[in-house]
Amino acid sequence: MIEKPLTPADVEFVTTLHGEEQGSFVVLMQPRGKQDVLLRAIDDVALGEFDEAVREGDEPTGELPVERALSHTLAALRATGAEAVGQVVEEHPLDLLTSVVEQTHADEVIVLTAPHFVEEFFHRDWASRARHKVGVPVLKLFSHAPDEPVRDGS
């Protein structure tokens, strides 16, 4: 489960977690919505990113639309030789995640997001919530900050 397209460092990290063993991925992309603006602003303040906290209500500029961001991530995973499929999740992400785990007989779930301190403190982040629902180990990883934002080339 991801919020943003994977950076090259993220792709390398998740595809080498189990050494030389080739993995397959079902990527569920749950973009952070408007409902999280306050929590993101608090996280930005906790990280000392005051300029980001002020801009949390602004529309993102130059970022890929969510469907293209997912396609970018899937292509990057496939380029390593891994199998990868995915979809954008708009509603009930934990229900869909549970269903995917059951249907694919997944060995583990990886939740790769930016730090969300407020949600993590109250165990309301995706990884904490998934641990109570999916029935397999849930690995929480923090995404690497991209050197440059992924932008839409068109």
Side-chain angles (χ1 to χ4, degrees):
M1 182 171 264
I2 62 174
E3 299 170 329
K4 296 180 179 180
L6 299 184
T7 66
D10 293 331
V11 170
E12 181 179 356
F13 192 45
V14 299
T15 57
T16 60
L17 274 174
H18 299 291
E20 298 297 315
E21 182 182 328
Q22 192 66 268
S24 63
F25 297 88
V26 177
V27 180
L28 302 179
M29 186 166 194
Q30 169 72 40
R32 300 213 15 120
K34 290 281 187 191
Q35 71 277 11
D36 297 325
V37 172
L38 177 59
L39 292 175
R40 289 195 316 258
I42 293 170
D43 285 340
D44 290 337
V45 170
L47 290 168
E49 297 172 354
F50 303 111
D51 290 339
E52 288 297 318
V54 171
R55 288 193 294 270
E56 278 301 343
D58 298 344
E59 290 294 320
T61 57
E63 290 186 6
L64 291 174
V66 68
E67 293 82 10
R68 293 207 42 213
L70 176 61
S71 294
H72 170 81
T73 292
L74 296 175
L77 289 167
R78 290 176 188 140
T80 69
E83 294 179 29
V85 296
Q87 71 183 76
V88 174
V89 182
E90 294 297 332
E91 295 183 17
H92 310 292
L94 293 177
D95 293 339
L96 180 59
L97 180 61
T98 301
S99 162
V100 167
V101 167
E102 291 169 356
Q103 291 172 7
T104 63
H105 305 288
D107 295 324
E108 71 181 344
V109 168
I110 299 171
V111 177
L112 190 120
T113 67
H116 303 298
F117 297 113
V118 174
E119 293 171 45
E120 291 165 26
F121 180 78
F122 292 106
H123 303 285
R124 299 302 303 153
D125 59 300
W126 291 123
S128 296
R129 293 169 58 194
R131 284 186 184 109
H132 299 288
K133 197 156 177 119
V134 298
V136 297
V138 176
L139 180 60
K140 179 180 183 170
L141 302 174
F142 292 124
S143 58
H144 293 79
D147 295 333
E148 292 182 19
V150 176
R151 303 209 181 270
D152 189 354
S154 54

